[in-house]
Amino acid sequence: MKILALESSCDETATAILEFDEQHNATVLAECVYTQAKEHFDYGGVVPEIASRAHLEKFDQLIAKTVKDANIQYSDLDAIAATTGPGLLGGLLIGTMYGKSLALSLDIPFIPVNHLEGHALTANLTNKVEFPYLLLLASGGHCQFIEVKDFGEYEIIGGTIDDAVGEAFDKVAKMLKLTFPGGPKLEKLALGGNPNAYKFPEPLKHKGLDFSFSGLKTSVRTEILKHEELTEQHRKDIAASFQQTVVNLVIHKVKKALKETNMKRFVLAGGVAANTMLRAELETFCKKNNTELTLPAIKWATDNAVMIGYAGGIRYFDKSCNKESENLEAKPTPRWPLANLKKVEL
Ligand code: KG4
Ligand code: ZN
């Protein structure tokens, strides 16, 4: 079974073709990702209207290249999957319409995919991590602790009451005059700084599994405003201290989540998984605590279409779904919680 997948929920335009065998194991035949960095650069963040136009402009060439790289014909495809939510409405509309049109013209099923389910299942595809596992999805747009119990069975056990982790990195980076997306630039700046120079608060540390970053951001802003002229060393020290605070907080919550769920496997996903300090401290922590840690390659941890193809393929095999009658009705859904998904019957 060969499936072409489209992802356009935020600022990555991505395509992939996966092949499934009868045991539902998948192989990636080809993939393309176009990251809209220059389109949004001047605005310091993702502009939804610009994002959807860029998806529309890119899909044709990306799909053609992916089909060519996979060395197949369009007629070899058995299904088309696209992210139909959650995400920015304009981008979801482009992907959904594109996917449905292709499926109709090839007379094959269209599979609507929940973007978060894509993230949740990636480790099962790329690293063969077995269910159940605990996942922390930490990107610019998402911040969730998810118990991944089986295909289609997810429990959200924590989230954020304000910013996502990556978003907090980006906002503090902006305060330090770094350009968007600031997370990786803040990490670089922190290299020359003292992580113990400032003692920033760790919001909600002892309260459940939710995160909050507004108090921490305010504290960083207050520190910056104290200095009439911020020297290079001040900037580095603030970056390093902020990063250390976030890493401490994440490790603390991971420890708590593992304890509460009794899970022995932990997976980190989302753009923040690129943070070297967080990766290193998680490795140390998991080794000490006898927890199997999976840190997928960054290209699988951030937005991509391979994860949409995998979730879509699994849904294609779902015996409880009547693809012909149900799926062309699917609408772009900007808010679509994982908990609303149906368990897959393979
Ligand atoms: O998953 P992703 O590419 O896109 C979504 O937000 O969905 O994640 C991007 C986020 C941005 O907020 C970016 O600043 C953050 O991940 N990020 C990092 C690092 N690399 C990317 N945050 C901290 N340290 C990094 N090295
Ligand atoms: Zn995502």
Side-chain angles (χ1 to χ4, degrees):
M1 195 284 279
K2 293 188 185 66
I3 189 165
L4 166 69
L6 313 177
E7 156 60 34
S8 56
S9 65
C10 190
D11 57 343
E12 262 86 25
T13 317
T15 51
I17 295 175
L18 278 71
E19 182 167 29
F20 284 73
D21 66 17
E22 279 168 14
Q23 284 73 46
H24 314 125
N25 297 307
T27 312
V28 180
L29 299 186
E31 67 163 318
C32 289
V33 182
Y34 175 76
T35 300
Q36 306 168 0
K38 66 175 193 312
E39 285 83 349
H40 305 291
F41 185 85
D42 289 344
Y43 304 93
V46 177
V47 183
E49 177 62 24
I50 294 175
S52 33
R53 278 168 197 269
H55 291 307
L56 189 58
E57 277 164 19
K58 286 286 176 226
F59 262 138
D60 264 344
Q61 40 183 300
L62 290 194
I63 292 170
K65 181 170 176 1
T66 311
V67 170
K68 185 165 177 264
D69 290 353
N71 209 10
I72 64 163
Q73 308 293 321
Y74 282 93
S75 54
D76 295 328
L77 290 168
D78 298 288
I80 309 285
T83 304
T84 54
L88 300 172
L89 180 60
L92 295 173
L93 255 171
I94 306 290
T96 305
M97 290 305 141
Y98 228 110
K100 283 186 184 179
S101 311
L102 265 172
L104 272 172
S105 65
L106 295 168
D107 197 19
I108 54 177
F110 171 71
I111 316 285
V113 175
N114 179 299
H115 179 87
L116 299 170
E117 179 165 57
H119 277 301
L121 296 180
T122 302
N124 179 259
L125 163 70
T126 58
N127 298 66
K128 303 262 181 266
V129 180
E130 285 173 29
F131 303 118
Y133 52 86
L134 176 72
L135 173 82
L136 174 62
L137 180 53
S139 69
H142 326 290
C143 183
Q144 287 183 335
F145 269 122
I146 305 167
E147 263 190 81
V148 183
K149 298 176 182 176
D150 206 336
F151 292 121
E153 238 193 303
Y154 315 104
E155 190 173 340
I156 311 297
I157 56 167
T160 177
I161 60 169
D162 38 56
D163 291 341
V165 189
E167 196 178 357
F169 264 94
D170 294 337
K171 288 180 178 168
V172 168
K174 198 170 178 181
M175 294 178 204
L176 292 168
K177 309 266 181 277
L178 298 167
T179 53
F180 181 82
K185 290 159 201 153
L186 188 145
E187 179 176 17
K188 233 185 229 163
L189 182 66
L191 280 178
N194 172 7
N196 302 312
Y198 301 99
K199 182 89 192 98
F200 292 131
E202 295 174 74
L204 299 189
K205 183 169 182 180
H206 300 291
K207 277 201 196 138
L209 297 175
D210 287 338
F211 290 96
S212 164
F213 294 101
S214 58
L216 172 57
K217 276 185 316 185
T218 306
S219 178
V220 171
R221 187 184 300 280
T222 309
E223 192 53 54
I224 290 173
L225 291 175
K226 272 188 204 161
H227 302 272
E228 223 165 80
E229 205 181 313
L230 209 58
T231 65
E232 199 49 23
Q233 194 55 46
H234 285 139
R235 290 175 75 235
K236 289 178 179 173
D237 287 347
I238 290 172
S241 303
F242 165 78
Q243 178 176 247
Q244 183 71 61
T245 308
V246 174
V247 170
N248 290 350
L249 194 59
V250 171
I251 302 273
H252 180 83
K253 297 275 177 177
V254 169
K255 186 174 173 183
K256 206 166 176 172
L258 287 167
K259 199 167 164 209
E260 283 184 19
T261 56
N262 223 355
M263 293 270 186
K264 286 281 159 227
R265 301 186 189 98
F266 176 69
V267 178
L268 180 67
V272 180
N275 188 278
T276 315
M277 184 183 196
L278 181 59
R279 293 172 82 91
E281 296 212 6
L282 273 174
E283 265 166 12
T284 310
F285 165 78
C286 287
K287 214 176 258 171
K288 248 197 224 157
N289 289 274
N290 234 346
T291 300
E292 180 189 311
L293 171 68
T294 304
L295 298 168
I298 298 308
K299 70 168 181 168
W300 306 109
T302 58
D303 288 352
N304 64 83
V306 168
M307 67 181 194
I308 304 305
Y310 188 55
I314 295 296
R315 294 258 162 212
Y316 174 90
F317 292 113
D318 183 2
K319 294 196 187 92
S320 69
C321 171
N322 183 344
K323 293 179 281 291
E324 276 69 29
S325 66
E326 288 177 23
N327 288 352
L328 282 176
E329 302 292 316
K331 291 187 178 66
T333 312
R335 290 191 184 276
W336 184 9
L338 265 185
N340 292 4
L341 294 183
K342 280 196 297 190
K343 186 170 162 29
V344 174
E345 281 175 43
L346 286 178

